[in-house]
Amino acid sequence: MKKKKRTSLKWKLISIMLMYWVLPFLVIIGTIGTYMLTSQESSQMERLISQVELNTKICVERIQGVIADSRQANYDRILYDQYKKYKRGEVGKSVLDNSIQTYLDSQYSQKKNNSIAVFMLADEPLTNKTTSYNFSTGGSFAQITTFFNKDAEEVLAYAETLDTAVGFFQQDGRLYIVRNMMDSKFVPWGILVNRINVDYCFETLLKFQEDFNVRVNLNQVPIIETGDDSAWNNVPELVFERKASYMFHKDRAYTYHKVKDSDFQLSLVLNAKKSDLFTPLYGYIYVVLLMVLLLLPMLLLFLWLSRKYLSRPVDQMMAGAKEIEGGNLGYQLAGDTGSLEFEYLRESFNHMSERLKYQFDHIYEEELALRDAKIMALQSHINPHFMNNTLEIINWEARLSGNEKVSKMISSLSTLMDAAIDRKKMPVVPLSEEMIYVNAYLYITSERLGKRLVIQKELPEDIMKIKVPRLIMQPIIENAIEHGVVPMGSGCVRIQGRREEEYLYLDIINDGEFTKEDEERVARLLAPDYDTSKESSGNMGIANVNQRLRILYDESCGLSIRKLGEMQVISTLTILVSD
């Protein structure tokens, strides 16, 4: 049967609006604009005052947010604690700089109210400085350069006058918030400077410039002033009160408002020609009544069309949703909806309803239970042979050597035990933390094998923050050592990493043979449908790793093991990166 051709609902509504609503509405607006009454001036100004108070309130809240962000650096004490360690010689200058850089990036590089952040130590501030910028708000290296070339010296001089208060500094349209970082004796040890994103913080006030000349002062310092000089000549004396006010002076209308906060004072003045704001409107009521009478038939027609093409299809879908809510899974909508969009929605609804019934009957509960069980079982796996070997080594080292080496081995073992127990319940950790567990394992294993084991690491710094599953590398490295290096008597294990597009690849390359039997065993262990419950514990490591990656990410991730050259084997972990 040939399908009935349907017109898009969008075009139906557009054509209806053009024919029956837009043209009459334009006539009404044009008539009102031509015949505005002078008596409407006060009511329009009152509406403007309400809008001024609302927009000013939003602006004040954003400035308060800037102040709160500046103060947070003191409240956190992260920078101060690191600075005290630096002054006591516990950490070096590079560690202090890295801590400050990390803090600036985490606190300010994503804030809409901030474009650049600069932190300077009170000792030689122009030399001991750390910077950060927010690219999304226009922050750039050029802004940082401008600050140090044009503004830094005056900002530092201004900071000396602030004591513990925050202050605002403006120069050539650049607005900064300045705060001294004080120690417990109220002696400044650093200066935090943020360049304020004026377009965001004063966004609600800048909107007025479409219809008015706008002047904004912050602590009596001009921040924004639009319009030419003639617009601000002969401005009358304005008496600012708690509420916004307005006044007419000569041929101009003025609206003004001031807000006082404990940290700042914000004032706003709008002005425009009265002739631009008001146009007398005569016969307004009669025109509106006439237009309403003309529009009533159009309204009834529009309601009828809306009922046919909107209300009825929506009612059908709501009835279907109630059926499913009542437990009637698989319920199907019938009938012609009359439009292309609702027909698509009806077919999609029927398909999803049928799919939902199938999932509840066959898949859903079983799959969730299986996934939870697999993840819990896989994450709790610890190789008992490795633990026995470790305890044996600690026992012999306690007898034959001094306490220092034993202490190191116990510390490494403790690190691995903490990682396995996962007290913080964090299934994924940065690669840098994962390497702590790897290094603990390698230290213990190196003590067991001595010079027979050589470890090489080639991990770029830019991938160390990428999140990976906890304890995902140790089983692979253990497999490489126990099945590759140990049978040969000695050998090398290389750990490499790289990021390509949305994936992180971690390679473990070891010396050793990879026989045909090994290849078949690996293929069986890494098969998607492999059941680890039927395998002895000695063979579960690589299978568990492969299944964890496939469960936590998708089928494009996992573990692969293959021969590399005559006497080398490469194991590759593929992990999906979530930025």
Side-chain angles (χ1 to χ4, degrees):
M1 180 178 178
K2 186 176 180 181
K3 283 191 174 182
K4 182 179 178 181
K5 187 176 181 181
R6 297 180 177 85
T7 305
S8 169
L9 177 63
K10 177 180 68 174
W11 292 111
K12 286 182 179 178
L13 291 176
I14 290 176
S15 61
I16 291 171
M17 293 297 293
L18 286 175
M19 292 174 60
Y20 300 111
W21 287 97
V22 175
L23 291 178
F25 183 76
L26 290 177
V27 172
I28 292 175
I29 294 300
T31 305
I32 293 175
T34 305
Y35 295 101
M36 182 171 290
L37 291 169
T38 304
S39 61
Q40 298 296 316
E41 291 180 355
S42 59
S43 62
Q44 184 169 337
M45 293 302 292
E46 290 294 335
R47 290 193 295 271
L48 175 60
I49 284 177
S50 298
Q51 190 64 49
V52 164
E53 290 180 337
L54 175 61
N55 289 14
T56 305
K57 180 180 178 181
I58 295 173
C59 180
V60 168
E61 289 174 351
R62 292 182 177 181
I63 296 174
Q64 289 171 339
V66 171
I67 296 172
D69 289 342
S70 178
R71 285 176 171 159
Q72 191 63 39
N74 249 354
Y75 297 152
D76 286 342
R77 296 186 61 85
I78 295 174
L79 298 180
Y80 181 57
D81 290 344
Q82 201 67 15
Y83 174 77
K84 288 196 298 183
K85 290 182 179 180
Y86 165 70
K87 296 298 288 184
R88 292 195 300 262
E90 296 177 9
V91 298
K93 184 62 166 57
S94 61
V95 174
L96 176 63
D97 291 342
N98 288 338
S99 299
I100 296 174
Q101 184 70 64
T102 300
Y103 185 87
L104 294 182
D105 289 343
S106 64
Q107 292 295 318
Y108 305 112
S109 64
Q110 302 297 325
K111 292 292 180 68
K112 292 183 178 180
N113 55 33
N114 177 79
S115 60
I116 67 170
V118 179
F119 189 90
M120 297 174 285
L121 296 179
D123 301 328
E124 301 182 9
L126 296 180
T127 303
N128 297 325
K129 58 184 183 291
T130 307
T131 63
S132 175
Y133 60 85
N134 185 354
F135 178 80
S136 63
T137 60
S140 64
F141 183 76
Q143 285 192 354
I144 294 174
T145 302
T146 300
F147 170 79
F148 284 106
N149 289 344
K150 298 183 178 181
D151 306 327
E153 293 185 357
E154 294 186 47
V155 166
L156 290 172
Y158 176 63
E160 294 178 358
T161 68
L162 290 178
D163 196 17
T164 60
V166 295
F168 295 91
F169 180 85
Q170 191 271 350
Q171 184 160 279
D172 296 334
R174 300 181 294 275
L175 179 62
Y176 301 93
I177 182 170
V178 185
R179 179 171 182 79
N180 289 318
M181 306 291 288
M182 299 289 193
D183 60 18
S184 58
K185 297 180 180 179
F186 295 97
V187 176
W189 63 273
I191 303 99
L192 176 62
V193 181
N194 296 83
R195 179 167 174 176
I196 298 175
N197 181 9
V198 174
D199 290 340
Y200 172 74
C201 291
F202 297 89
E203 176 186 15
T204 55
L205 303 186
L206 288 170
K207 289 181 178 178
F208 288 118
Q209 65 184 332
E210 296 177 3
D211 302 307
F212 300 88
N213 300 307
V214 181
R215 174 185 285 172
V216 179
N217 288 353
L218 182 63
N219 291 344
Q220 300 181 346
V221 176
I223 302 300
I224 300 169
E225 183 169 295
T226 64
D228 53 29
D229 293 338
S230 62
W232 298 102
N233 288 336
N234 302 317
V235 176
E237 183 176 352
L238 304 174
V239 180
F240 291 88
E241 299 177 352
R242 292 187 62 183
K243 289 191 62 177
S245 304
Y246 72 92
M247 71 176 298
F248 300 113
H249 180 71
K250 296 183 179 179
D251 64 338
R252 306 190 75 84
Y254 295 87
T255 307
Y256 49 96
H257 188 33
K258 177 182 287 187
V259 177
K260 291 183 178 181
D261 186 80
S262 59
D263 296 298
F264 64 93
Q265 177 177 285
L266 179 73
S267 63
L268 167 70
V269 179
L270 309 177
N271 85 72
K273 288 184 178 180
K274 291 176 61 176
S275 58
D276 294 336
L277 292 178
F278 312 110
T279 302
L281 175 63
Y282 302 103
Y284 168 78
I285 297 177
Y286 300 105
V287 173
V288 170
L289 290 176
L290 178 61
M291 296 306 298
V292 169
L293 291 175
L294 292 175
L295 289 174
L296 278 177
M298 303 176 190
L299 175 61
L300 294 176
L301 178 61
F302 181 77
L303 292 175
W304 179 79
L305 292 172
S306 299
R307 171 67 180 168
K308 180 178 180 180
Y309 294 113
L310 289 175
S311 299
R312 285 181 180 175
V314 170
D315 289 342
Q316 290 178 0
M317 292 188 177
M318 289 179 64
K322 289 181 179 179
E323 289 287 339
I324 293 179
E325 185 179 2
N328 186 10
L329 301 180
Y331 178 82
Q332 300 290 294
L333 296 176
D336 188 0
T337 59
S339 66
L340 180 64
E341 289 82 358
F342 277 111
E343 185 64 20
Y344 173 79
L345 291 175
R346 184 185 70 82
E347 293 178 357
S348 298
F349 179 92
N350 290 341
H351 176 73
M352 287 187 290
S353 177
E354 183 179 359
R355 182 68 177 170
L356 184 63
K357 180 175 176 58
Y358 174 80
Q359 286 181 332
F360 268 82
D361 290 344
H362 300 281
I363 297 175
Y364 189 70
E365 293 182 358
E366 178 182 353
E367 183 174 330
L368 283 181
L370 179 61
R371 173 176 288 232
D372 291 343
K374 280 187 175 183
I375 290 178
M376 291 179 65
L378 295 176
Q379 288 186 336
S380 65
H381 173 68
I382 301 176
N383 189 330
H385 299 292
F386 168 68
M387 297 297 296
N388 289 335
N389 289 339
T390 302
L391 292 174
E392 182 180 353
I393 294 168
I394 293 175
N395 181 35
W396 281 103
E397 288 296 336
R399 296 180 182 181
L400 302 177
S401 64
N403 288 335
E404 182 178 354
K405 182 176 291 187
V406 174
S407 176
K408 289 182 179 179
M409 296 186 68
I410 293 174
S411 176
S412 298
L413 179 58
S414 175
T415 298
L416 287 177
M417 292 294 291
D418 286 342
I421 294 172
D422 188 15
R423 294 187 178 90
K424 296 181 180 179
K425 304 302 180 185
M426 297 176 60
V428 293
V429 297
L431 180 57
S432 58
E433 184 175 335
E434 176 69 7
M435 286 306 299
I436 293 175
Y437 309 143
V438 169
N439 292 335
Y441 167 77
L442 290 175
Y443 176 80
I444 295 171
T445 304
S446 296
E447 289 299 316
R448 179 166 64 96
L449 298 179
K451 296 182 179 180
R452 292 181 293 162
L453 175 63
V454 177
I455 301 296
Q456 297 178 355
K457 302 170 192 173
E458 302 173 13
L459 296 170
E461 186 64 28
D462 58 353
I463 69 171
M464 299 305 288
K465 294 183 180 179
I466 296 176
K467 297 291 183 68
V468 300
R470 180 185 294 273
L471 290 178
I472 202 68
M473 296 180 67
Q474 183 270 334
I476 309 307
I477 297 173
E478 180 180 359
N479 184 74
I481 294 173
E482 298 299 331
H483 295 282
V485 176
V486 171
M488 293 182 61
S490 63
C492 175
V493 174
R494 279 204 322 274
I495 303 173
Q496 299 176 337
R498 66 191 187 283
R499 177 176 180 174
E500 296 180 4
E501 298 181 354
E502 59 182 354
Y503 291 98
L504 172 67
Y505 297 94
L506 298 173
D507 297 326
I508 293 90
I509 303 171
N510 66 275
D511 296 337
E513 290 185 305
F514 195 65
T515 64
K516 186 67 175 179
E517 290 77 14
D518 293 334
E519 190 173 348
E520 292 174 354
R521 182 178 66 89
V522 167
R524 175 171 57 83
L525 294 174
L526 300 186
D529 56 349
Y530 176 73
D531 187 0
T532 58
S533 65
K534 299 179 180 180
E535 187 67 40
S536 62
S537 61
N539 292 328
M540 287 177 60
I542 62 174
N544 283 350
V545 168
N546 184 54
Q547 290 194 15
R548 281 181 66 191
L549 292 177
R550 292 170 66 87
I551 289 173
L552 293 174
Y553 301 104
D554 55 40
E555 295 181 358
S556 65
C557 299
L559 170 66
S560 66
I561 302 177
R562 57 185 174 84
K563 190 174 183 179
L564 182 67
E566 286 298 321
M567 293 297 292
Q568 280 191 326
V569 181
I570 180 170
S571 304
T572 300
L573 295 166
T574 303
I575 299 171
L576 185 64
V577 178
S578 56
D579 291 324

